[in-house]
Each structure stands twice: as C-alpha cells, then as structure tokens.
Amino acid sequence: MASDHQAVPNEKDSSLVEAAELTTQRQSETSNDTIAVNTDGAGPEKEPPQPDSVVIPPVHTVYTSLEKRLIVISAAFSGLFASWTAQIYLPALNNAAHDLHTSTKKINLTVTSYMIFQGVTPIFIGGYADAMGRRPVYIICFILYIAVDIALALTDAYGSLLALRSVQSITISSTQALCQGVVADISTSAERGQYAAFLALPTILGPSIGPVIGGAIAQYLGWRNIFWFLAITGGINLAVLFLFFPETCRRIVGDGSILPRKANQTLLQILQNRRKDPSHRVEIGTPPIPDGETPKANFAWARFLSALTLLFEKEMFVLSTYGGLLFAGLYAVGTAAPSLFAKYYGYNGLTIGLLYLPLAAGSVLAVVLVGKSLNWNFQRHAKRLGITVNKGRHMDLSEFPIEKARIEVLVPPFLLSVIVITAWGWTVENQVSVGVVVVLVFLLGLGLSGTASVFSALITDIRPEKASAASASNNIIKFLLGAAMSAAIDPLISAVEPGKAFSIIASFYVVVSPCLVVVVKKGMKWRREIREKDRRANEAQ
C-alpha cells in the first residue's frame, strides 16, 4: 500500500505539481488571506506580475483517500482484538470453572485481571510507538498475542489461566492506542471525523459480537477453542500487517514519502526497493532525511511514561475521566445483560449473545452519522471565523475552538445515551417485549458509539503529535472505570433492581456533564499553556 510512494516521481507526480501550482494561482486571485503575494506595479502592456513568495501549508500526507481508508480499517480491525478478546470469553466462564474444578467467583477474576492490564499496559506502549513507529509495535504485539492464545488453549489449571489471561491483555491491549496514533498520522483535523469514528468501532463491536462468537464456540466446540479461534484470526491479521501495513509515524516517515529503516518497512517495500538507488526512494512531499540521519530507535523510559504525563494535563484529565464514565456505562450493560436476560426472559447463552448484535448495528450507523457531523461542524466553525480549510493540509488549531466544534456534535448522542440507558433498565425489569429491548440496544449502540467517536477525535486533536500516548492515557481511566463498574453493577442491581440502578448511572452522567462546558470555555487556554510548557522544555534540552 505504502510502497507506491517510494518510486521515482513520474508523470502522475508532475501532474500533481502542476495541479497544485494551478490551485495556488487561483487562490491568489480570489483570496488575500490564503496566500501572500509580492508584486511590482505593471501597466496594461506588461506581463502579469509573478508571485515572489507563496505561503501555503504543506500537504499533510501523500496517501490517497482510498489508501487512508484502508490503513484506518486495518488499524481499527487490529484494535478490535483488544476489545473482543475481553468479551468473547464471557459466555464460557461457567464451562471453564467446571472443567478446571474451581468456582465461578475465581473464574471471574480472570476477567477483572484482563481489564486492569488493558488499562495500564498502553501507558508504556503508547509512548514507545510514538518514538519507534507503529508498525514494529503492531508486529511484536501480535506475535506475542498468538503465542499466549495457544498457551491458553492448552492450559489445564486455574492458576495458569489467570496468569495467561493477564499476559494476553498485556500483549494486545495497546492496539487501540496505536490505532489512535495512526489516525493522527494520516489525517488532518478537518477530515479526522470520518476516520476517528472508526476508532469507536472496536470499543463497541467487541462487546457486541464477542459474546456471540464465544457463545457459539463454547456451546458447540468447547471453551478452549475460543483461544484457538483468536490465535488463527490473530495470525491472519499478522500476515496482513507484515505484508501491507505501512509505517505511518510522522517522526519516521514524515508525510509518508520517506522510506523508513527496514525494521519499519513492509515486506513489499523491502522487495520493491532492494534494487533501487537510495536517492530514488522518495517522491514529492516532505524532504527525506539525509543519509545517516534516519531516526533511530532509542530506548528511554521517559517515552514509556509519556502517556502517564499526559494524564495529568488539565484538559486531557477532564476528557478522559468523563469519557471513561460514559464508557463504563457500556460495561455495566454488557456485564449485567447475561444474568438479567436469563432471570427475566429465561434465555440461554447463545440467545443472549445474539441480542448484542443490534449494538453492533447501532455502532456502524454512528460511525457514518457522527463522522460526517464532526467534519461538517469543523467546516462550519472555520467558515464563521473566515478560515479557509484544505482537508489535505495541516491546520494550526492554536486559535481554533476545536473543543466547541467537537463537543457540539457530542450533545445529541449523549442525550440519547442518557435516555436509552435509563429506559433499558426499566424495560428489562418490567419484562417488556423483547422487540422493545432490541430497539433500545440498537439505540444504545448509536448513542454510546457516537459519544466515543467524539471523544476519540477531540483527544487526538488536542495532542496530535503524541496521539498514541494520549490514547493510552485515556485508556487507563476508561478501562479501570469499566472494570470498577463491572464489579459494582451486580451489587447495585441486587440492592435497587435494574430500573433504579441504570437510572442512577444516567443521573450521574447528567450531574457531571458541566465539566464539558468547562472544557469548551478553558480548553484553548489550557492548550496554550501546554504549548508554552513544551516550548520551554525543548529550549532547555
């Protein structure tokens, strides 16, 4: 995919340059804000004045729209493994407890341990990926993940199951943070909505399709085959990454036109560039780094802890905490649904798993609607401020109200989530028709996936240069709150029944929501403070 950009500039490249020059000329005729032009006086008999200097931002990436979509889809599918690995195992808990001669309570600890490491591990890996590149980290994660899956499929003791589930989480949980970094690498803020929306799919699709797959495998093939399934699908994904997935980290490949060191190249790039002269490895775009100055992989603990540092930034902390609370509501529903459907409707494991599918359908619709809304609202604010937006070029957001542009889109799915999660609890408690439950589950996917999409886009916009680390700092709060909610929801339901329990959760969302107003009002100021702090830190080095 990325290897197409490593060839010598051809006629297509020339046409692109001519098109860019023509665009520059037209912009200079219609706008004084976009391009600065210095001219000398000229009479009618003289040739038209020629611009001496043109101020125009560089193209953000050399990838085409189709290539960007394929890259994001591949990254999102890789991130799906972290999510569905946690959920696919749930229908088999009772079977595993019986086979390993232990209690269900002890088996539940394997779920809790997975979620704890799912929140903590990306703190270390996120900063590493920002420095070393996305591709090597993806490859290493999946190699280790496949090995642990095979070990889990062969385990015959509770202690090894508990330990291996923790290691499994360590190996794969960082892929969601990596996906966030990939989106920041290849997209600008003006177009990020349509790509960032894909980031919410792994979070939502994992809990919705994981139980269906896991329930079917556990019922017909045995619970250990769940891990063989994960190993096989992980191996297929690893092959795709190894062959085609390009390095996107801008520190290493710039706008995608720089050929990285071999450790970051796809197999196709290595084969296609083996016989090429090094001077012919770059096409039009960001200039290549001179020989001997290719970014090197330096091991530094500070890079591993960069995500933890971001967590203490004001805006990042507020967004991550509130977004984590919304996400925890999804885990509350997912954790409580099996026991509630069994108690109030008498459904078995596979039927319960099928009821998660409307959640996936709502999530897919949310990707389309929220993605388009994010881009539209960005354009609306830019137009209001008199800013010309070129989706393919980077835009300075220092004076742009990106918080307002994103959070305005958050309002409809947020309100939908509050209403639906309340109605869902009362509907199940009163054993209303299952058709109503299915519709509510669909709407819950639409609302929660929509809110997750907005938070993903905004967190990337705030820290695009450290997108993986920013996503990792967000994940630690999100998954730890999710683990806490999973543990608390059953006692809460036992105390007050489902209707009141989920009404309490929805009420808490509303009570804490003013923090988003604070972000809108002070977000720009907080970003200025961070930039000034980073500037002083760079000068001190």
Side-chain angles (χ1 to χ4, degrees):
M1 181 183 306
S3 60
D4 296 338
H5 299 296
Q6 313 301 333
V8 182
N10 51 27
E11 294 180 359
K12 177 182 177 181
D13 300 327
S14 301
S15 64
L16 289 174
V17 175
E18 293 174 1
E21 293 174 346
L22 180 59
T23 302
T24 300
Q25 179 180 354
R26 289 176 178 172
Q27 288 176 323
S28 65
E29 293 172 355
T30 59
S31 173
N32 294 325
D33 297 329
T34 305
I35 300 173
V37 181
N38 297 326
T39 60
D40 299 326
E45 70 283 355
K46 296 182 180 180
E47 294 182 357
Q50 300 296 323
D52 294 332
S53 63
V54 176
V55 180
I56 186 169
V59 175
H60 185 72
T61 180
V62 295
Y63 294 114
T64 66
S65 295
L66 177 60
E67 288 171 330
K68 285 190 283 188
R69 290 192 191 98
L70 292 175
I71 291 172
V72 172
I73 289 172
S74 179
F77 183 74
S78 297
L80 177 62
F81 280 84
S83 180
W84 76 2
T85 299
Q87 305 295 327
I88 197 173
Y89 173 63
L90 296 181
L93 293 179
N94 292 333
N95 295 341
H98 180 268
D99 288 353
L100 299 178
H101 308 290
T102 188
S103 66
T104 303
K105 184 177 180 180
K106 286 186 175 181
I107 285 292
N108 286 341
L109 292 178
T110 65
V111 178
T112 303
S113 64
Y114 184 97
M115 294 187 65
I116 290 174
F117 283 102
Q118 191 176 15
V120 174
T121 304
I123 284 186
F124 300 95
I125 305 300
Y128 183 79
D130 285 331
M132 298 284 293
R134 322 296 183 200
R135 179 178 164 79
V137 179
Y138 267 127
I139 299 296
I140 293 171
C141 283
F142 271 93
I143 290 175
L144 296 176
Y145 173 73
I146 294 168
V148 174
D149 284 336
I150 294 174
L152 279 165
L154 299 174
T155 189
D156 57 359
Y158 168 74
S160 61
L161 178 68
L162 178 62
L164 288 171
R165 277 287 286 178
S166 300
V167 176
Q168 185 187 41
S169 180
I170 292 172
T171 61
I172 200 64
S173 58
S174 299
T175 54
Q176 288 183 338
L178 292 175
C179 184
Q180 190 99 11
V182 169
V183 171
D185 293 335
I186 65 175
S187 64
T188 64
S189 295
E191 62 178 347
R192 192 164 292 149
Q194 61 184 311
Y195 300 117
F198 281 98
L199 301 181
L201 281 180
T203 302
I204 304 296
L205 286 181
S208 59
I209 67 176
V212 179
I213 298 173
I217 294 176
Q219 182 169 339
Y220 296 108
L221 299 176
W223 66 273
R224 286 185 175 83
N225 283 288
I226 291 175
F227 300 111
W228 284 116
F229 170 81
L230 293 176
I232 293 171
T233 54
I236 294 172
N237 190 66
L238 175 62
V240 174
L241 293 174
F242 189 71
L243 289 171
F244 305 112
F245 190 81
E247 178 58 66
T248 63
C249 183
R250 300 184 69 82
R251 179 182 181 273
I252 296 174
V253 297
D255 61 2
S257 61
I258 300 174
L259 184 69
R261 54 185 177 271
K262 286 189 177 181
N264 295 76
Q265 293 179 34
T266 67
L267 179 61
L268 291 181
Q269 283 178 315
I270 293 175
L271 295 177
Q272 292 178 2
N273 289 283
R274 178 179 295 176
R275 299 179 180 179
K276 289 183 179 179
D277 188 285
S279 62
H280 292 161
R281 290 179 178 171
V282 182
E283 68 172 24
I284 298 169
T286 301
I289 296 177
D291 293 340
E293 297 184 18
T294 303
K296 296 181 180 180
N298 295 318
F299 184 88
W301 282 104
R303 298 195 184 280
F304 287 98
L305 298 178
S306 61
L308 190 60
T309 302
L310 292 178
L311 188 58
F312 291 97
E313 294 179 1
K314 298 175 184 177
E315 187 170 11
M316 190 69 67
F317 179 79
V318 173
L319 290 174
S320 297
T321 301
Y322 193 68
L325 289 173
L326 292 172
F327 175 80
L330 176 64
Y331 265 83
V333 173
T335 303
S339 60
L340 291 178
F341 283 141
K343 176 181 178 180
Y344 290 98
Y345 292 90
Y347 292 151
N348 59 30
L350 183 57
T351 304
I352 291 172
L354 291 174
L355 290 175
Y356 283 87
L357 290 180
L359 194 69
S363 302
V364 172
L365 181 60
V367 166
V368 177
L369 296 180
V370 175
K372 290 182 179 296
S373 298
L374 287 171
N375 288 342
W376 173 83
N377 207 41
F378 186 96
Q379 294 276 1
R380 184 177 71 87
H381 278 275
K383 184 177 180 180
R384 182 175 60 84
L385 295 172
I387 299 174
T388 301
V389 176
N390 186 327
K391 290 186 177 181
R393 300 180 185 276
H394 176 70
M395 177 178 171
D396 183 10
L397 298 178
S398 58
E399 302 298 327
F400 188 85
I402 189 63
E403 292 85 0
K404 185 177 182 180
R406 298 308 194 202
I407 291 177
E408 284 176 345
V409 178
L410 175 69
V411 174
F414 166 75
L415 294 176
L416 179 64
S417 299
V418 170
I419 295 171
V420 172
I421 200 171
T422 303
W424 187 84
W426 288 105
T427 298
V428 173
E429 181 179 334
N430 290 282
Q431 301 181 43
V432 179
S433 170
V434 70
V436 176
V437 175
V438 168
V439 172
L440 290 176
V441 171
F442 170 82
L443 293 177
L444 193 63
L446 182 63
L448 289 176
S449 181
T451 57
S453 297
V454 176
F455 276 106
S456 295
L458 182 53
I459 287 173
T460 303
D461 290 326
I462 293 171
R463 276 298 202 173
E465 76 284 359
K466 295 182 178 181
S468 289
S471 178
S473 67
N474 175 52
N475 282 346
I476 185 172
I477 293 183
K478 182 172 69 174
F479 288 116
L480 290 181
L481 287 176
M485 183 67 78
S486 298
I489 189 62
D490 281 340
L492 181 60
I493 290 175
S494 298
V496 298
E497 297 299 327
K500 290 182 180 179
F502 286 100
S503 296
I504 291 172
I505 294 174
S507 299
F508 190 69
Y509 289 165
V510 175
V511 170
V512 185
S513 62
C515 69
L516 298 179
V517 178
V518 176
V519 170
V520 170
K521 292 184 176 181
K522 295 189 176 183
M524 192 179 297
K525 175 185 175 183
W526 289 341
R527 282 188 283 125
R528 290 196 193 102
E529 293 174 353
I530 292 299
R531 284 196 306 275
E532 180 62 23
K533 180 180 178 181
D534 288 347
R535 184 188 64 80
R536 290 196 300 266
N538 291 333
E539 290 177 352
Q541 292 179 353

PDB file of all heavy atoms in Angstrom, residues 79 87 108 203 265 274 323 411 439 458-459 462 520:
ATOM      1  N   GLY A  79      -7.242  -3.162  16.407  1.00  0.00           N
ATOM      2  CA  GLY A  79      -7.697  -2.736  17.722  1.00  0.00           C
ATOM      3  C   GLY A  79      -8.881  -3.537  18.225  1.00  0.00           C
ATOM      4  O   GLY A  79      -9.106  -3.624  19.444  1.00  0.00           O
ATOM      5  N   GLN A  87     -14.284  -9.845  25.745  1.00  0.00           N
ATOM      6  CA  GLN A  87     -15.702 -10.184  25.781  1.00  0.00           C
ATOM      7  C   GLN A  87     -16.023 -11.583  25.262  1.00  0.00           C
ATOM      8  O   GLN A  87     -16.998 -12.198  25.697  1.00  0.00           O
ATOM      9  CB  GLN A  87     -16.496  -9.158  24.953  1.00  0.00           C
ATOM     10  CG  GLN A  87     -16.280  -7.716  25.374  1.00  0.00           C
ATOM     11  CD  GLN A  87     -16.788  -7.449  26.769  1.00  0.00           C
ATOM     12  OE1 GLN A  87     -17.766  -8.033  27.197  1.00  0.00           O
ATOM     13  NE2 GLN A  87     -16.139  -6.546  27.478  1.00  0.00           N
ATOM     14  N   ASN A 108     -14.162 -15.414  37.497  1.00  0.00           N
ATOM     15  CA  ASN A 108     -14.439 -14.003  37.201  1.00  0.00           C
ATOM     16  C   ASN A 108     -13.209 -13.128  37.399  1.00  0.00           C
ATOM     17  O   ASN A 108     -13.085 -12.059  36.787  1.00  0.00           O
ATOM     18  CB  ASN A 108     -15.581 -13.496  38.079  1.00  0.00           C
ATOM     19  CG  ASN A 108     -16.927 -14.021  37.628  1.00  0.00           C
ATOM     20  OD1 ASN A 108     -17.074 -14.470  36.489  1.00  0.00           O
ATOM     21  ND2 ASN A 108     -17.911 -13.978  38.512  1.00  0.00           N
ATOM     22  N   THR A 203     -14.262  -0.571  20.267  1.00  0.00           N
ATOM     23  CA  THR A 203     -14.786  -0.481  21.624  1.00  0.00           C
ATOM     24  C   THR A 203     -16.202  -1.013  21.716  1.00  0.00           C
ATOM     25  O   THR A 203     -16.593  -1.650  22.700  1.00  0.00           O
ATOM     26  CB  THR A 203     -14.745   0.976  22.112  1.00  0.00           C
ATOM     27  OG1 THR A 203     -13.399   1.452  22.040  1.00  0.00           O
ATOM     28  CG2 THR A 203     -15.237   1.091  23.540  1.00  0.00           C
ATOM     29  N   GLN A 265       9.648  -1.205   7.469  1.00  0.00           N
ATOM     30  CA  GLN A 265       9.133  -1.381   6.120  1.00  0.00           C
ATOM     31  C   GLN A 265       8.242  -2.627   6.024  1.00  0.00           C
ATOM     32  O   GLN A 265       8.444  -3.605   6.741  1.00  0.00           O
ATOM     33  CB  GLN A 265      10.288  -1.535   5.122  1.00  0.00           C
ATOM     34  CG  GLN A 265      11.141  -0.286   4.949  1.00  0.00           C
ATOM     35  CD  GLN A 265      12.272  -0.504   3.961  1.00  0.00           C
ATOM     36  OE1 GLN A 265      12.120  -1.239   2.987  1.00  0.00           O
ATOM     37  NE2 GLN A 265      13.414   0.127   4.199  1.00  0.00           N
ATOM     38  N   ARG A 274      14.730  -3.127  -2.950  1.00  0.00           N
ATOM     39  CA  ARG A 274      16.034  -3.771  -2.776  1.00  0.00           C
ATOM     40  C   ARG A 274      17.034  -3.309  -3.823  1.00  0.00           C
ATOM     41  O   ARG A 274      18.218  -3.118  -3.544  1.00  0.00           O
ATOM     42  CB  ARG A 274      15.863  -5.288  -2.837  1.00  0.00           C
ATOM     43  CG  ARG A 274      17.172  -6.060  -2.707  1.00  0.00           C
ATOM     44  CD  ARG A 274      16.903  -7.555  -2.743  1.00  0.00           C
ATOM     45  NE  ARG A 274      16.119  -7.981  -1.590  1.00  0.00           N
ATOM     46  CZ  ARG A 274      15.683  -9.225  -1.435  1.00  0.00           C
ATOM     47  NH1 ARG A 274      15.938 -10.145  -2.368  1.00  0.00           N
ATOM     48  NH2 ARG A 274      14.987  -9.559  -0.363  1.00  0.00           N
ATOM     49  N   GLY A 323     -15.199  10.817  29.674  1.00  0.00           N
ATOM     50  CA  GLY A 323     -15.369   9.812  28.633  1.00  0.00           C
ATOM     51  C   GLY A 323     -15.316   8.407  29.201  1.00  0.00           C
ATOM     52  O   GLY A 323     -16.039   7.507  28.760  1.00  0.00           O
ATOM     53  N   VAL A 411     -23.461  16.419  21.848  1.00  0.00           N
ATOM     54  CA  VAL A 411     -24.712  16.605  22.594  1.00  0.00           C
ATOM     55  C   VAL A 411     -25.809  15.612  22.197  1.00  0.00           C
ATOM     56  O   VAL A 411     -26.390  14.947  23.072  1.00  0.00           O
ATOM     57  CB  VAL A 411     -25.213  18.059  22.463  1.00  0.00           C
ATOM     58  CG1 VAL A 411     -26.581  18.225  23.113  1.00  0.00           C
ATOM     59  CG2 VAL A 411     -24.216  19.014  23.109  1.00  0.00           C
ATOM     60  N   VAL A 439     -34.648  -2.816  20.134  1.00  0.00           N
ATOM     61  CA  VAL A 439     -34.578  -1.436  19.649  1.00  0.00           C
ATOM     62  C   VAL A 439     -33.734  -0.578  20.582  1.00  0.00           C
ATOM     63  O   VAL A 439     -32.909   0.231  20.140  1.00  0.00           O
ATOM     64  CB  VAL A 439     -35.997  -0.837  19.507  1.00  0.00           C
ATOM     65  CG1 VAL A 439     -35.919   0.656  19.191  1.00  0.00           C
ATOM     66  CG2 VAL A 439     -36.772  -1.567  18.418  1.00  0.00           C
ATOM     67  N   LEU A 458     -11.483  14.359  19.608  1.00  0.00           N
ATOM     68  CA  LEU A 458     -11.032  15.527  20.360  1.00  0.00           C
ATOM     69  C   LEU A 458      -9.702  15.264  21.060  1.00  0.00           C
ATOM     70  O   LEU A 458      -8.816  16.130  21.071  1.00  0.00           O
ATOM     71  CB  LEU A 458     -12.101  15.931  21.388  1.00  0.00           C
ATOM     72  CG  LEU A 458     -11.801  17.179  22.226  1.00  0.00           C
ATOM     73  CD1 LEU A 458     -11.454  18.364  21.332  1.00  0.00           C
ATOM     74  CD2 LEU A 458     -12.992  17.517  23.114  1.00  0.00           C
ATOM     75  N   ILE A 459      -9.537  14.090  21.631  1.00  0.00           N
ATOM     76  CA  ILE A 459      -8.273  13.765  22.292  1.00  0.00           C
ATOM     77  C   ILE A 459      -7.126  13.767  21.286  1.00  0.00           C
ATOM     78  O   ILE A 459      -6.018  14.234  21.579  1.00  0.00           O
ATOM     79  CB  ILE A 459      -8.388  12.399  23.000  1.00  0.00           C
ATOM     80  CG1 ILE A 459      -9.267  12.550  24.255  1.00  0.00           C
ATOM     81  CG2 ILE A 459      -7.020  11.848  23.372  1.00  0.00           C
ATOM     82  CD1 ILE A 459      -9.585  11.252  24.936  1.00  0.00           C
ATOM     83  N   ILE A 462      -6.224  17.427  20.403  1.00  0.00           N
ATOM     84  CA  ILE A 462      -5.520  18.147  21.459  1.00  0.00           C
ATOM     85  C   ILE A 462      -4.035  17.816  21.459  1.00  0.00           C
ATOM     86  O   ILE A 462      -3.187  18.692  21.640  1.00  0.00           O
ATOM     87  CB  ILE A 462      -6.132  17.798  22.835  1.00  0.00           C
ATOM     88  CG1 ILE A 462      -7.550  18.347  22.930  1.00  0.00           C
ATOM     89  CG2 ILE A 462      -5.279  18.360  23.974  1.00  0.00           C
ATOM     90  CD1 ILE A 462      -8.294  17.875  24.151  1.00  0.00           C
ATOM     91  N   VAL A 520     -14.996  23.502  27.050  1.00  0.00           N
ATOM     92  CA  VAL A 520     -15.275  24.416  25.936  1.00  0.00           C
ATOM     93  C   VAL A 520     -14.746  25.811  26.244  1.00  0.00           C
ATOM     94  O   VAL A 520     -14.162  26.479  25.382  1.00  0.00           O
ATOM     95  CB  VAL A 520     -16.790  24.464  25.648  1.00  0.00           C
ATOM     96  CG1 VAL A 520     -17.106  25.582  24.658  1.00  0.00           C
ATOM     97  CG2 VAL A 520     -17.270  23.126  25.110  1.00  0.00           C
TER      98      VAL A 520
END
